[in-house]
Amino acid sequence: MNPSSFEYFAPKRIEEAFDILAKYDGEAKILAGGQSLIPLLKLRLTSIPYVVDISRIEELSYIRESHNELHIGALTTIDDIENSASIRGKYPIIFDAASNIADPLVRNRGTVGGNISHGDPSNDMPAVMLALGAKFTIASARGDRVADADGFFIDTFTTALKYGEILREITIPGRGTHEAGCYMKNKKTAGDFSVAGIAVQIRFNNSGTIEKAGIGMTSVNPKPIRAIKAENYLKGKKVGDSVVREASRLVVSESNPSTDFYGTVEFKKQVLAKIAEDAIYMATDRAEEN
Amino acid sequence: MSSYFTRAKDDLAYNERVFVEGRGHFVDDIIKPGALHMSIVRSPYARAKILSIKGGMSSKDLGARMASVGEGAMEGKNSVIQPVFATGYVNYVGEAVAAVFADDRYKSEDLLDSVEVEYEPVKPVVSIEDALSSPPIHQGLKSNIISEGWRGKEFPDPASPIVLEDVFMNRRIATNPIEPRGIVADYDGKVLSVWISTQSVHSIKEGLCEALGLGPDAVRVMQADTGGAFGSKGGLYPEYVIASFAAMKYRRPVKWIETRMEHLSSTSHGRGAKGIVKIFAERSGKITGLKGEVIVDAGAYGAGMGEFASRFIATMMTGPYMIENAHVKSTSVLTNKVTLGPYRGAGRPEASFFIERMVDKLADELKVDPVDLRILNSSESKFRSPLGMEIDAAKPFLDQAVKELDYRRKAKSTHNIGFSFFVLVPAFAPGETARVKVDGGKVSVWLGGNSHGQAHEVFVRKLVNEELGVPENLITLYRGDTGMLKDGVGSWGSRSAMVGGAAVISACRKMKEEVITKFGKYSVQSLLSGAFDVYVNEEQKGSLNSFGANLATVDIGKLGSVKVRECAAYYDVGRALNMDMVIGQIQGGMAQGIGQTLHEEMAFNEDGQLLTASISDAGVPLAEDIPNFEVKVAQNPSRLPHGAKGLGESPTIGVPTALARAIEKASGKRIRETPIRPEHIL
């Protein structure tokens, strides 16, 4: 199918984008990589009179480290993230997620900011950002503001972004010496939406006790959320079979999947329990290798 | 008229160029100046009263009903004929309610919103069980059963010690050719010209003539390059009648190209069959009797294959085995879903799934090797099954298959192994037509069945060359065209190389006689120096079957994901007319067999809404699902002059059953349906 007609803007500077958004008060929509919006338009599930394509704003595409933090421009493509040596080396949790998003065609166009801003509970990056405790720099004509990933995801397809705002940067806090993460998801076929996904980031102290754990979940709640009970439980524990089993049980207790074509509630919880265990072990192994 | 495949030196290279690189001339490539583009307003409800329609073309403008043509419709007229436009009420999500036309596709899709349809939703009948317990979905019927009958004779339960019963389901799947359906229609005041993506221009013409009340001279149907069909492009659909009617009404060319979403909701689905099977057996493993029932989810109307499919499946329920007593009930029921049509195998895979699953179950019950059980129940000589199938001697082939597939050795080293055995009964009768014409030193050929990716030109060139000695580069097979060949059947049911090939040979032999009559003796030079034009309708009676066997091994992941480790085939293809084409047919079909078994499904919720409305949800197999295929063939020639046997449907018959068994062994969970979802085996 073809979309209904719309007016298209492709500003090269973020200020221009603010002006266009302001001009069409409430009626314009931001397009980044287009991997979610274009299908919605093509299938005529929605129609939008004004589309503001921000993909040419080059200043929003970067990956850089400073003050021990990782800064990712919102328009950085998933492919760029997948191919970043520093991300792969220091934040394998982000690499895991990036390299398993849909297929290479989608990853070439799709952006990390779009993946987060769309508010789709089956997108992978939100869970990763929750597990990492990321901060989002949100730009608007009034200036920048900073929001925690935790609290950013309000409901299905609804985030804390207000009309006129553009996600500028994702800031990942510095990584501890004995810290690593892992993202795992289960999908029926390559390129498909996931049945369930889980992001786990764990920081150990020198004696191998968990100092801090961050856990985010994909596709098993109406919005991306943290598994807070499991995070709290893991704090102060050492990784072992019974601890991992209990953490996995707590993760599942914090999920609220629904039965649909991708599986029954029972199946999704079984999948989540299994990948939660695997992800905790994998994160632990990686932290030990650091 | 454009050349089908213009004298390529290398057939494979040309075929690849057309169909892999997308350089064919498909329906959407046909540009007619001044053409209107058509878009269809479709029902969002599975069942609803239409209270009013404002705008667009609808049943008040075109009250025609759909003629029943093509594969599966040949057994007689269907009892519940589909209206072209939904009339009074809608009966499935995606049913055509109205049509709009504009200068381009963007505008016609915009116009969809201008049509206002008021519906009053009614509770739909979605499952086979609902259909049997609910009042009929159409007024004037006594029940939702549109066909019912028995195959075989009633027999008292044998006094055999083993009695096993089970219930199976092959869920509906979409045919999903890469190119969806499409049509261009144009009318010059005298003749309606139609260009279409199809398996049979003759079926389409027959259907259009009947639906629009036109004489045979007033309609010409021409095939465009056709990018796959798998059964879904042999019959008539509402859009074809609407586009033709609109071309005549507006006196402008009308084009309609199906979207993938339309394909999933509004092109006939395949499979959708439930089997209830009871077998009786001795402790030795000898099966003494089979009783059962086949119930087919025919969809909302009798169009397509739904009405006939249950009887066809029931006829094949004993598979290749020598079972002396069998009695099977066949029932087709109406549901509020798109009509059921043929999908590669068209009843054959369903029947094979039901019997093969029972043979495996019997093997488990007796704790014997399932292949030994198959050998024990196979016949040394040909026989007629109690359900009416003529079956050649099965055991010699099976013995060989066990060796060729290296079953004994593999079964020792792998627990997760499945083996299937089947007999393919292709659509042999009533034969096929061909026209061979010599003019200007070149040979032109038309076939009654139309190639839609199988590369019929390869066997046509080979057979004409063998019969007449003409170099292959002077022989051209043209696309289907009712203006060039007066009648024909169609390309489906594993038939084209068999019956189409036989027709080409027959035409060539007649032509040779004409050359001899004219010149006293035959030579290629005298043939090519003259002008000859021979048409034959090469009729075929009875049946002609071929055997096949598959072997599959799998690994199952912790979360119920299946990795097909190995998938092997050994099929009797008769004389292979071109080995590359044979291998290609088998590999493509094996991929589809894997798709049906692991992922493919057209699923509906209780409101009759299609849950699998996108190509990713439809579950088509991906590269990661496909193992290395091992393909071997036996070449036992058939009784036809060129020795060919049917092949096209073999892989979709044999692969799901072998794979289901391998998954059953690997998971320890009894497999009763396709697709096999991870939650079934976790």
Side-chain angles (χ1 to χ4, degrees):
Chain A
M1 286 180 78
N2 297 319
S4 54
S5 63
F6 54 82
E7 209 169 326
Y8 172 82
F9 302 91
K12 290 190 172 157
R13 292 173 51 250
I14 196 166
E15 291 77 13
E16 282 177 62
F18 296 143
D19 289 347
I20 299 161
L21 289 168
K23 185 177 171 190
Y24 300 107
D25 189 22
E27 290 196 277
K29 179 87 183 160
I30 297 166
L31 175 113
Q35 298 308 296
S36 298
L37 187 59
I38 295 291
L40 289 174
L41 289 170
K42 277 197 71 171
L43 297 173
R44 293 190 181 233
L45 295 172
T46 186
S47 70
I48 293 161
Y50 308 100
V51 170
V52 186
D53 179 353
I54 59 171
S55 65
R56 295 180 200 190
I57 303 176
E58 290 174 10
E59 62 188 280
L60 295 187
S61 176
Y62 54 85
I63 299 168
R64 57 178 171 246
E65 289 174 88
S66 72
H67 308 299
N68 196 31
E69 289 177 331
L70 179 70
H71 304 270
I72 306 174
L75 286 178
T76 307
T77 65
I78 301 296
D79 178 71
D80 283 341
I81 288 177
E82 187 183 357
N83 288 301
S84 157
S86 68
I87 285 181
R88 188 167 189 167
K90 292 188 179 168
Y91 296 94
I93 184 174
I94 304 177
F95 169 80
D96 291 343
S99 58
N100 277 297
I101 287 173
D103 51 50
L105 286 81
V106 171
R107 299 199 286 270
N108 283 342
R109 298 289 309 176
T111 66
V112 63
N115 193 290
I116 291 166
S117 303
H118 193 46
D120 185 336
S122 63
N123 277 357
D124 300 293
M125 286 299 173
V128 171
M129 298 308 154
L130 288 169
L132 286 167
K135 290 186 187 307
F136 301 144
T137 304
I138 296 163
S140 72
R142 294 178 303 280
D144 288 0
R145 68 182 177 101
V146 175
D148 285 332
D150 193 16
F152 181 80
F153 303 101
I154 291 169
D155 205 345
T156 311
F157 297 115
T158 305
T159 69
L161 281 174
K162 297 187 192 80
Y163 182 83
E165 291 185 324
I166 297 173
L167 181 60
R168 181 194 289 277
E169 182 185 282
I170 296 121
T171 309
I172 312 290
R175 200 197 64 179
T177 318
H178 305 290
E179 177 176 341
C182 172
Y183 183 75
M184 283 194 178
K185 71 171 166 180
N186 173 266
K187 47 189 177 177
K188 286 169 69 176
T189 59
D192 212 342
F193 290 111
S194 58
V195 172
I198 190 155
V200 175
Q201 182 80 4
I202 306 178
R203 179 186 294 170
F204 295 89
N205 65 17
N206 287 331
S207 60
T209 302
I210 296 174
E211 263 181 25
K212 185 169 181 279
I215 301 176
M217 296 183 278
T218 304
S219 292
V220 288
N221 289 284
K223 60 174 184 174
I225 63 164
R226 284 165 63 199
I228 297 171
K229 284 184 202 163
E231 289 176 356
N232 290 340
Y233 168 77
L234 284 171
K235 209 167 168 179
K237 304 276 190 318
K238 291 198 177 200
V239 169
D241 287 354
S242 64
V243 167
V244 172
R245 254 200 314 276
E246 176 61 10
S248 164
R249 193 190 66 78
L250 289 169
V251 165
V252 172
S253 77
E254 290 172 274
S255 72
N256 186 21
S258 47
T259 292
D260 58 21
F261 177 68
Y262 295 96
T264 58
V265 167
E266 191 196 13
F267 172 68
K268 288 180 178 183
K269 287 185 171 181
Q270 275 179 291
V271 168
L272 182 63
K274 184 71 201 142
I275 60 176
E277 288 185 15
D278 289 351
I280 293 168
Y281 284 121
M282 176 65 87
T284 306
D285 288 349
R286 285 173 172 172
E288 282 169 3
E289 284 164 21
N290 285 341
Chain B
M1 184 177 59
S2 57
S3 156
Y4 199 177
F5 291 108
T6 44
R7 277 185 252 140
K9 279 184 184 161
D10 181 343
D11 296 320
L12 289 175
Y14 195 85
N15 203 36
E16 280 160 12
R17 210 152 67 232
V18 170
F19 292 112
V20 178
E21 294 183 8
R23 295 191 195 192
H25 199 63
F26 298 90
V27 184
D28 205 15
D29 298 321
I30 297 170
I31 308 296
K32 297 274 174 199
L36 288 167
H37 192 93
M38 178 173 92
S39 291
I40 301 290
V41 176
R42 297 186 181 278
S43 170
Y45 296 105
R47 192 180 182 194
K49 261 187 205 162
I50 300 174
L51 300 178
S52 67
I53 303 174
K54 283 185 193 140
M57 177 189 281
S58 63
S59 61
K60 70 180 185 324
D61 306 295
L62 174 59
R65 294 197 158 240
M66 299 247 293
S68 172
V69 296
E71 185 179 7
M74 300 175 63
E75 298 272 320
K77 296 296 174 200
N78 296 116
S79 59
V80 187
I81 305 295
Q82 178 166 8
V84 170
F85 281 117
T87 308
Y89 51 108
V90 289
N91 280 298
Y92 61 89
V93 171
E95 185 170 2
V97 175
V100 291
F101 304 87
D103 292 338
D104 68 40
R105 188 166 184 159
Y106 282 89
K107 287 181 190 149
S108 72
E109 288 184 6
D110 284 345
L111 279 177
L112 289 171
D113 290 337
S114 72
V115 178
E116 289 175 32
V117 187
E118 211 184 331
Y119 297 99
E120 186 183 297
V122 181
K123 189 180 182 314
V125 168
V126 181
S127 68
I128 285 173
E129 293 71 27
D130 281 352
L132 290 170
S133 62
S134 303
I137 64 169
H138 298 299
Q139 289 171 359
L141 297 182
K142 287 190 179 125
S143 76
N144 286 312
I145 295 171
I146 50 166
S147 71
E148 197 171 21
W150 288 89
R151 302 299 292 169
K153 282 189 195 132
E154 203 174 352
F155 63 95
D157 287 359
S160 303
I162 313 285
V163 183
L164 298 173
E165 189 167 5
D166 218 333
V167 181
F168 305 105
M169 186 75 203
N170 282 168
R171 299 191 180 279
R172 280 183 164 219
I173 50 184
T175 58
N176 266 327
I178 290 177
E179 182 208 26
R181 293 183 295 128
I183 185 171
V184 171
D186 197 8
Y187 183 62
D188 66 3
K190 285 179 185 159
V191 175
L192 171 72
S193 295
V194 165
W195 293 264
I196 192 164
S197 175
T198 189
Q199 299 168 244
S200 171
V201 289
H202 305 286
S203 291
I204 301 296
K205 176 177 170 175
E206 184 193 342
L208 287 176
C209 285
E210 202 175 315
L212 294 169
L214 298 170
D217 295 336
V219 179
R220 179 176 178 182
V221 178
M222 290 158 276
Q223 185 199 22
D225 270 338
T226 299
F230 306 117
S232 64
K233 293 179 183 170
L236 199 67
Y237 286 91
E239 298 88 353
Y240 305 166
V241 185
I242 301 167
S244 299
F245 176 77
M248 296 176 78
K249 180 176 173 171
Y250 299 125
R251 290 296 291 271
R252 286 174 70 178
V254 173
K255 178 188 270 191
W256 173 73
I257 302 294
E258 187 181 53
T259 67
R260 185 61 58 178
M261 280 180 84
E262 288 182 301
H263 177 77
L264 297 173
S265 71
S266 310
T267 294
S268 59
H269 296 163
R271 307 291 182 264
K274 179 177 180 176
I276 303 160
V277 197
K278 184 191 263 189
I279 57 170
F280 304 87
E282 299 300 325
R283 290 237 169 265
S284 65
K286 175 72 190 159
I287 302 170
T288 52
L290 181 146
K291 290 183 178 181
E293 179 171 9
V294 177
I295 311 173
V296 163
D297 173 359
Y301 302 98
M305 185 158 183
E307 194 160 348
F308 166 64
S310 55
R311 189 157 74 90
F312 188 49
I313 296 170
T315 306
M316 298 182 287
M317 282 274 276
T318 50
Y321 305 112
M322 176 73 186
I323 299 172
E324 280 176 29
N325 301 297
H327 194 218
V328 181
K329 188 179 182 189
S330 65
T331 308
S332 292
V333 298
L334 292 166
T335 57
N336 289 112
K337 295 177 188 166
V338 67
T339 52
L340 194 82
Y343 170 65
R344 199 168 185 169
R348 300 163 183 89
E350 294 90 321
S352 183
F353 191 81
F354 302 155
I355 181 66
E356 289 294 273
R357 297 277 59 234
M358 287 309 290
V359 174
D360 286 332
K361 186 178 177 123
L362 179 60
D364 290 344
E365 174 73 19
L366 295 171
K367 296 185 174 58
V368 298
D369 184 290
V371 170
D372 289 340
L373 205 54
R374 284 172 168 80
I375 293 169
L376 179 76
N377 285 286
S378 294
S379 172
E380 292 275 10
S381 53
K382 66 180 192 178
F383 68 103
R384 185 181 164 82
S385 83
L387 301 174
M389 270 199 299
E390 300 289 343
I391 299 173
D392 293 339
K395 191 170 174 298
F397 175 87
L398 180 55
D399 286 338
Q400 191 61 29
V402 172
K403 286 183 199 142
E404 296 284 345
L405 295 172
D406 200 11
Y407 171 76
R408 302 285 179 203
R409 189 183 63 80
K410 284 178 177 165
K412 273 190 195 118
S413 61
T414 310
H415 176 73
N416 307 346
I417 191 167
F419 184 98
S420 66
F421 179 42
F422 65 88
V423 58
L424 166 67
V425 181
F428 188 59
E432 191 53 282
T433 63
R435 179 184 173 194
V436 179
K437 184 175 171 229
V438 172
D439 196 16
K442 293 171 185 171
V443 181
S444 304
V445 182
W446 290 266
L447 272 184
N450 308 138
S451 182
H452 40 283
Q454 304 95 328
H456 290 169
E457 73 284 356
V458 175
F459 77 74
V460 165
R461 283 207 199 100
K462 181 186 179 77
L463 294 175
V464 173
N465 170 266
E466 284 178 359
E467 292 295 321
L468 296 176
V470 178
E472 290 199 17
N473 65 359
L474 297 178
I475 304 160
T476 305
L477 174 69
Y478 287 88
R479 297 188 192 102
D481 181 348
T482 62
M484 302 304 288
L485 180 64
K486 63 179 179 184
D487 57 6
V489 181
S491 186
W492 51 66
S494 305
R495 68 198 312 270
S496 295
M498 271 186 333
V499 296
V504 167
I505 290 172
S506 175
C508 287
R509 290 180 183 175
K510 272 195 184 158
M511 188 173 280
K512 204 168 190 174
E513 282 168 24
E514 288 185 13
V515 173
I516 293 167
T517 307
K518 191 172 173 184
F519 294 99
K521 66 180 178 67
Y522 180 80
S523 75
V524 176
Q525 288 70 24
S526 44
L527 171 75
L528 294 178
S529 69
F532 299 90
D533 196 345
V534 172
Y535 159 88
V536 296
N537 179 2
E538 186 71 2
E539 292 184 10
Q540 304 289 355
K541 293 190 180 102
S543 74
L544 191 161
N545 57 57
S546 53
F547 294 109
N550 281 92
L551 181 150
T553 61
V554 301
D555 291 317
I556 295 190
K558 283 176 284 193
L559 299 173
S561 63
V562 174
K563 182 79 193 160
V564 182
R565 210 190 307 152
E566 159 178 43
C567 192
Y570 179 64
Y571 300 152
D572 183 359
V573 302
R575 177 185 167 222
L577 300 177
N578 179 294
M579 194 54 82
D580 286 330
M581 292 299 163
V582 164
I583 304 286
Q585 275 268 6
I586 294 175
Q587 290 183 335
M590 283 164 87
Q592 286 182 304
I594 290 173
Q596 179 192 332
T597 314
L598 300 186
H599 309 300
E600 288 193 70
E601 179 177 2
M602 286 290 103
F604 294 81
N605 71 8
E606 61 203 16
D607 298 324
Q609 293 291 334
L610 186 62
L611 297 173
T612 48
S614 78
I615 189 67
S616 73
D617 289 336
V620 289
L622 305 174
E624 65 166 8
D625 297 316
I626 308 302
N628 283 325
F629 291 133
E630 191 190 342
V631 177
K632 291 184 170 183
V633 298
Q635 296 196 54
N636 301 314
S638 71
R639 65 176 185 271
L640 292 171
H642 55 320
K645 286 183 176 172
L647 165 65
E649 292 161 308
S650 288
T652 50
I653 303 172
V655 169
T657 50
L659 204 46
R661 176 59 175 177
I663 294 167
E664 182 168 276
K665 293 283 282 178
S667 66
K669 300 274 171 68
R670 181 92 180 124
I671 302 300
R672 296 186 171 88
E673 61 183 58
T674 60
I676 302 166
R677 298 174 65 106
E679 55 259 55
H680 293 163
I681 53 179
L682 191 60

